[in-house]
Amino acid sequence: MATPEGSVDDIFLPGGRLRLDCFNEAAFRALNEALRLARETHWDSVRSPHVFMGLLAVPDASVRNWSERLQADPSTLLDQFQELFQQPSEEEAVLILSREFLSDNVIRLLRDAYSRARDHGRSKITPVDLLISLFASPYSIVADCFARIGMRADKLIELAQMAEHTSRTEKN
């Protein structure tokens, strides 16, 4: 169920801008990279593959741990997704981190990640919240891409949860 516009519990401010206080520094960096990559691949909005590419472009410890468990290099995965989602165009779109420039799937993804963070007792979304929410979405094109090579979403989520647990225990 969608959160009412302007709600204190929503990740958007009433004007549509993202509430920056809902993201930790690493997650915010990944979103900025997603925005940059959406422009670079010539899309007119930020889509879920761009969020995934953003996570790969500036991987924090949990995303690096997840990719190691997957036996994949983040930069190689990033290159593959950039190639896969490149649009044929010469123009770069004007995009900002605002609701109007985010696909419905990305809006749902961000809200799910915020809900997951809060369910885990945190007030800020982390990169692993984004990663897990990305694969948990029934509409995830990124999960579909992995499914085509035999990697199911539930396994990707399990690896991300293991990475999250490892990351948390290393901090303590």
Side-chain angles (χ1 to χ4, degrees):
M1 186 163 137
T3 307
E5 187 174 337
S7 168
V8 178
D9 292 333
D10 196 15
I11 57 164
F12 294 102
L13 296 168
R17 291 268 212 188
L18 273 178
R19 283 185 46 213
L20 303 182
D21 64 315
C22 292
F23 299 87
N24 77 3
E25 186 178 323
F28 185 67
R29 269 195 319 270
L31 285 179
N32 276 319
E33 282 298 304
L35 187 66
R36 181 186 67 78
L37 289 158
R39 286 185 193 118
E40 206 172 272
T41 55
H42 307 289
W43 287 78
D44 61 358
S45 64
V46 178
R47 309 282 204 186
S48 56
H50 299 119
V51 174
F52 182 61
M53 288 187 269
L55 291 166
L56 296 172
V58 288
D60 74 338
S62 61
V63 172
R64 278 192 303 277
N65 188 298
W66 170 82
S67 67
E68 288 169 10
R69 291 172 187 279
L70 191 62
Q71 297 179 345
D73 175 52
S75 62
T76 302
L77 275 176
L78 174 60
D79 291 344
Q80 291 169 341
F81 271 82
Q82 273 186 283
E83 186 177 319
L84 190 59
F85 290 96
Q86 184 72 39
Q87 295 267 61
S89 176
E90 294 299 315
E91 288 187 32
E92 265 191 22
V94 176
L95 298 172
I96 59 171
L97 287 176
S98 180
R99 186 174 38 240
E100 67 188 281
F101 296 105
L102 306 176
S103 72
D104 290 344
N105 283 345
V106 169
I107 292 169
R108 191 176 309 109
L109 161 70
L110 295 176
R111 286 181 171 148
D112 289 349
Y114 188 51
S115 178
R116 183 182 189 281
R118 292 175 57 144
D119 288 348
H120 284 81
R122 291 180 274 105
S123 63
K124 296 183 183 281
I125 296 168
T126 65
V128 80
D129 292 321
L130 293 169
L131 189 64
I132 290 171
S133 297
L134 181 72
F135 291 126
S137 170
Y139 311 105
S140 176
I141 185 119
V142 176
D144 288 345
C145 289
F146 278 95
R148 289 183 193 143
I149 60 167
M151 184 62 72
R152 294 185 0 229
D154 61 338
K155 182 63 176 175
L156 294 165
I157 291 169
E158 179 185 334
L159 294 174
Q161 289 169 330
M162 292 166 65
E164 176 181 41
H165 178 73
T166 300
S167 201
R168 205 173 33 233
T169 55
E170 287 175 355
K171 285 182 182 176
N172 295 334

